[in-house]
Amino acid sequence: MRFRHPDGSTVHLAYCTNVHPAETLDGVLAQLRDHCEPVRRRLGRDRLGIGLWLAKDAAHALVTDPSALRGLRTELERRGLEVVTLNGFPYEGFGAEEVKYRVYQPDWADPRRLAHTTDLARVLAQLLPDDVTEGSISTLPLAWRTAYDQERATAAHTALTTLAERLDALHELTGRSLRIGLEPEPGCTVETTRDALAPLTAIGHDRIGICVDTCHLATSFEDPHTALDALTQARVPLVKSQLSAALHAEHPHLPEVRAALAAFDEPRFLHQTRTRTAAGLRGTDDLGEALAGDALPDASPWRAHFHVPLHAAPAAPLTSTLPVLRAALTRLVGGPHPLTRHLEVETYTWQALPPELRPRARAQLADGIAAELTFARDLLTDLGLKELP
């Protein structure tokens, strides 16, 4: 979906296909047929943006077989779909029964991460629509915080500098300008936007910037205006933003709130949980840890890294961090010029919701994703953007 900003520029809205995990190119093609095109049809649009997730094997197949890459582009066009952004965070196995810490491997100190992201860039340069010259890729925020020493930090920074050089060369070759955004996430070396300032300033290349995920922003209790102002003042490129909402519990000391939270404690994904105290931010790596005994103080609200559907906040006594998303979006695209032109709805946890909230069939999932995109569209038009055909 495309929108015209009041300054005349085009803002792209997509939804991320990591909600339909597939490890192979055949699986990706099936996603387009079974999920993405039906979502587009529900929206009544001739064209729908998707933030494509390509696992390691699918990306490698595309970059080594030009005919396969041409075939994917043809299939996208045939189904009324377009790609201006990729989700390069998960490397493989995102559809596994247990993902948890595995999603942070390989990290940016591992040569496989550079090789994979280079593949993604080469693919994206060929998938961009003819009238689009700028693409974006979101990626792991360097590494999970443990076992990340100065040696690994140096290796990661060197890899990102090498990537920037490759993106420069790709621009010269194709005319397509691609940028990479580190995506701060609780528990990682770069947990907050503040944490991103030092490494990104040290790298100092305009092709390496940040992807602001509004669920992660909220989980870390960051104020959107303060965070985004700091990024712009530091001249950190705001490559893309993922529109998402976290789980919020206002009174986590109450038994009924604990019981409601427990329904979201599931075995597949990691749900980092945070609260604010007088001594600063406190947290656990997963929601189950927070609920066990006194691992996390409960005198103040808790927020958990669980991407809940944008248009449907959890039932009381829980809610979502939708106000943080609204505030961030106002700052991102509500000013005289957009801070980023690539927005991506990323609710990958539909099948991890409590059983009574999960879509029971493919059609229900398409309905839910379409409702999220409609919600996001309305937020954008309320900010003065005009939806384009």
Side-chain angles (χ1 to χ4, degrees):
M1 300 168 76
R2 299 187 185 192
F3 296 81
R4 181 75 68 210
H5 190 273
D7 75 347
S9 63
T10 299
V11 173
H12 295 266
L13 173 66
Y15 89 89
C16 187
T17 64
N18 62 356
V19 66
H20 320 298
E23 300 293 314
T24 65
L25 180 54
D26 285 344
V28 171
L29 295 172
Q31 288 177 352
L32 306 184
R33 179 193 67 228
D34 297 339
H35 299 289
C36 302
E37 185 177 10
V39 170
R40 177 184 65 76
R41 293 187 181 279
R42 278 165 172 75
L43 292 167
R45 307 295 302 166
D46 294 331
R47 174 174 56 191
L48 175 67
I50 57 171
L52 202 58
W53 174 61
L54 297 172
K56 177 255 301 181
D57 288 344
H60 186 68
L62 289 167
V63 84
T64 56
D65 184 352
S67 65
L69 186 49
R70 288 193 298 270
L72 175 58
R73 182 179 173 118
T74 298
E75 191 71 0
L76 287 165
E77 293 171 350
R78 186 169 77 87
R79 298 193 182 278
L81 306 169
E82 67 177 14
V83 175
V84 304
T85 189
L86 300 180
N87 186 331
F89 195 135
Y91 180 75
E92 62 183 348
F94 202 60
E97 290 186 5
E98 182 177 331
V99 178
K100 298 289 184 181
Y101 294 95
R102 292 170 52 190
V103 75
Y104 308 105
Q105 296 294 329
D107 62 30
W108 272 101
D110 187 323
R112 292 177 297 166
R113 177 62 65 172
L114 173 60
H116 175 57
T117 310
T118 300
D119 284 350
L120 293 178
R122 291 171 177 161
V123 169
L124 182 56
Q126 300 302 318
L127 291 184
L128 288 177
D130 290 338
D131 62 344
V132 175
T133 59
E134 296 182 354
S136 61
I137 302 173
S138 48
T139 189
L140 177 78
L142 299 182
W144 185 252
R145 70 182 185 278
T146 55
Y148 189 74
D149 55 19
Q150 186 55 51
E151 182 180 355
R152 295 186 67 79
T154 299
H157 290 191
T158 299
L160 285 165
T161 300
T162 300
L163 177 64
E165 294 167 352
R166 292 178 181 179
L167 295 179
D168 282 340
L170 193 61
H171 187 201
E172 288 289 329
L173 182 65
T174 67
R176 304 299 179 88
S177 180
L178 305 183
R179 298 190 298 172
I180 307 296
L182 303 184
E183 182 186 330
E185 178 167 316
C188 291
T189 300
V190 175
E191 173 160 340
T192 66
T193 56
R194 182 188 298 271
D195 295 335
L197 295 178
L200 290 176
T201 301
I203 293 167
H205 199 293
D206 62 4
R207 296 204 184 277
I208 311 296
I210 195 167
C211 167
V212 174
D213 183 302
T214 58
C215 170
H216 304 170
L217 192 78
T219 301
S220 294
F221 287 87
E222 289 197 82
D223 174 72
H225 292 282
T226 302
L228 294 172
D229 285 348
L231 291 171
T232 54
Q233 288 167 12
R235 299 184 182 277
V236 170
L238 237 162
V239 173
K240 66 185 279 190
S241 180
Q242 288 169 327
L243 308 183
S244 53
L247 194 62
H248 180 95
E250 186 68 19
H251 303 292
H253 64 286
L254 296 176
E256 60 268 31
V257 176
R258 293 289 187 110
L261 283 170
F264 287 85
D265 178 26
E266 53 84 37
R268 186 171 175 187
F269 298 112
L270 206 60
H271 301 297
Q272 302 93 314
T273 305
R274 299 288 184 267
T275 189
R276 284 187 292 192
T277 71
L281 206 63
R282 289 278 303 277
T284 59
D285 283 357
D286 214 346
L287 179 57
E289 297 174 42
L291 292 169
D294 58 357
L296 196 63
D298 60 7
S300 297
W302 286 3
R303 289 177 179 174
H305 173 217
F306 194 117
H307 291 224
V308 295
L310 301 188
H311 66 294
L318 303 179
T319 186
S320 78
T321 59
L322 188 59
V324 175
L325 186 156
R326 289 181 184 272
L329 197 58
T330 298
R331 183 69 181 89
L332 286 166
V333 299
H337 304 287
L339 300 184
T340 182
R341 291 190 292 274
H342 290 179
L343 305 173
E344 179 183 63
V345 171
E346 196 213 11
T347 304
Y348 59 83
T349 44
W350 279 94
Q351 298 300 343
L353 290 166
E356 68 275 13
L357 301 179
R358 293 175 196 167
R360 296 183 182 86
R362 188 182 295 166
Q364 285 183 309
L365 178 58
D367 289 342
I369 294 169
E372 284 196 293
L373 285 166
T374 298
F375 185 87
R377 178 196 64 194
D378 292 345
L379 292 179
L380 292 175
T381 55
D382 287 347
L383 289 171
L385 282 72
K386 180 181 179 182
E387 188 176 6
L388 298 175

